[in-house]
Amino acid sequence: MKKILFLISMSILSSCSTSRNSSSLVREDQLFVTRKYIGNFLEYCHTGPQIVGGKDLIWIKTTVFPTYGKISAYGTTCKFAVGDKIYLKPVNSTGGDLGDWVYQVENESSISYKVSEFRFENNVFTRNWSQ
């Protein structure tokens, strides 16, 4: 009888004891900014402001997106080197209730360009979102 009472009291004590949570656990209110690999840089071409919306654009080819028209960024020249790993990264959110994310295309060093909303689809320049 004493053994059963002892076991019950030990189980009650162990179930009611406090536990320490690790400080390295992820908090729910933290925002993680991740970047997505979009291929190795192959080459780029420049489109002048008279062609698309009055803005200078660079069109980027990567190993994942080997044709022009999918990735465009603001700028006149591109300083990525052939073979650089290129990433798409959300930078911040502006305006609206949920915000409109602004993205940048970057390499592993400090070179980055703001991604434009322009795409070339079905032989027509289109805008993916409004800014």
Side-chain angles (χ1 to χ4, degrees):
M1 183 68 173
K2 287 183 181 182
K3 287 182 182 181
I4 293 174
L5 201 53
F6 176 74
L7 289 175
I8 291 173
S9 64
M10 288 306 286
S11 64
I12 290 173
L13 285 175
S14 65
S15 67
C16 294
S17 66
T18 60
S19 64
R20 292 186 181 184
N21 291 337
S22 173
S23 62
S24 65
L25 293 177
V26 176
R27 293 178 39 202
E28 287 184 31
D29 60 346
Q30 289 179 330
L31 176 66
F32 288 96
V33 177
T34 59
R35 57 189 194 167
K36 179 182 177 185
Y37 173 74
I38 56 173
N40 291 354
F41 178 74
L42 297 175
E43 61 184 0
Y44 82 98
C45 72
H46 171 256
T47 302
Q50 66 279 11
I51 305 294
V52 183
K55 312 235 179 193
D56 282 303
L57 297 178
I58 53 175
W59 299 88
I60 299 172
K61 274 189 184 181
T62 67
T63 53
V64 175
F65 299 102
T67 59
Y68 290 122
K70 299 295 182 187
I71 305 169
S72 67
Y74 296 107
T76 55
T77 61
C78 183
K79 295 182 181 177
F80 295 145
V82 174
D84 280 354
K85 290 184 178 184
I86 305 297
Y87 300 93
L88 186 65
K89 178 182 175 183
V91 179
N92 61 12
S93 177
T94 58
D97 292 337
L98 297 175
D100 295 323
W101 285 98
V102 175
Y103 292 89
Q104 73 182 17
V105 61
E106 64 183 17
N107 65 0
E108 292 180 334
S109 10
S110 61
I111 300 172
S112 65
Y113 301 95
K114 180 181 175 188
V115 173
S116 81
E117 68 272 15
F118 294 100
R119 302 290 174 265
F120 189 74
E121 298 172 350
N122 300 325
N123 295 325
V124 176
F125 291 105
T126 61
R127 292 180 86 164
N128 272 1
W129 66 87
S130 61
Q131 287 187 343

